[in-house]
Amino acid sequence: MAMGKTPGSGDEGEEGVFAEINITPLTDIFLVLLIIFMVTSSVIVQQGPGGGAKAGLKVNLPKGGAADVTARTTDMSVAVLADGRFVVAGNVVSQDELQKAFDAAKVKDPDTVVIVQADEGVPHGTVVQVMELAKKAGLGQLAIGVREGE
């Protein structure tokens, strides 16, 4: 048996050995690994740092004037998503849970400012509903969050 010969190279009686490397299985392995990494990374990004409702909360704030209110650590931010859900501290809450959060904020600091960050597509009535819940809890200092205009 001759080494390094390919089939049909002259010696018909001897079986030739392929001297080429077949990279098809190696390519298949890399493609499978690439797919696994792509799926894993997309799952990790969707889960976010806290997982679940905290990830991917996009609120498209309307444009407004220059920001004249500086946020304090005691301020309470309430986001109203485009589908009408309420988000407090990164958690989606119901209307009853929102009322309880306002009551707890009033007990903690009576001068808490409630900042309502509503998506542009949210009906005006939903924003007023959040403000009325805050007033009902005794929080009279309200602000509406906007992004800076051009």
Side-chain angles (χ1 to χ4, degrees):
M1 175 181 208
M3 299 296 282
K5 292 190 176 186
T6 58
S9 62
D11 292 336
E12 299 296 329
E14 296 181 17
E15 187 177 323
V17 176
F18 287 106
E20 301 164 354
I21 297 175
N22 189 359
I23 63 166
T24 304
L26 181 66
T27 306
D28 290 344
I29 291 172
F30 283 132
L31 288 176
V32 169
L33 287 175
L34 178 67
I35 291 170
I36 291 171
F37 287 135
M38 286 173 29
V39 169
T40 306
S41 65
S42 65
V43 168
I44 291 172
V45 168
Q46 287 176 358
Q47 285 181 350
K54 294 181 183 178
L57 295 176
K58 174 116 173 83
V59 178
N60 188 14
L61 295 175
K63 292 182 181 176
D68 57 350
V69 178
T70 56
R72 301 177 301 179
T73 57
T74 59
D75 293 350
M76 181 178 184
S77 179
V78 178
V80 183
L81 303 179
D83 58 0
R85 294 181 296 162
F86 307 117
V87 179
V88 177
N91 297 318
V92 178
V93 296
S94 67
Q95 186 173 345
D96 294 333
E97 293 169 330
L98 182 61
Q99 183 66 51
K100 290 176 185 174
F102 285 148
D103 292 335
K106 172 69 175 174
V107 170
K108 186 176 178 183
D109 183 11
D111 294 330
T112 299
V113 177
V114 177
I115 302 171
V116 181
Q117 298 175 333
D119 192 272
E120 274 183 322
V122 172
H124 180 70
T126 307
V127 175
V128 171
Q129 178 184 9
V130 172
M131 296 173 118
E132 289 299 320
L133 287 173
K135 285 183 187 177
K136 185 178 174 184
L139 300 172
Q141 297 184 23
L142 304 171
I144 296 178
V146 295
R147 58 187 162 130
E148 282 190 42
E150 296 175 4

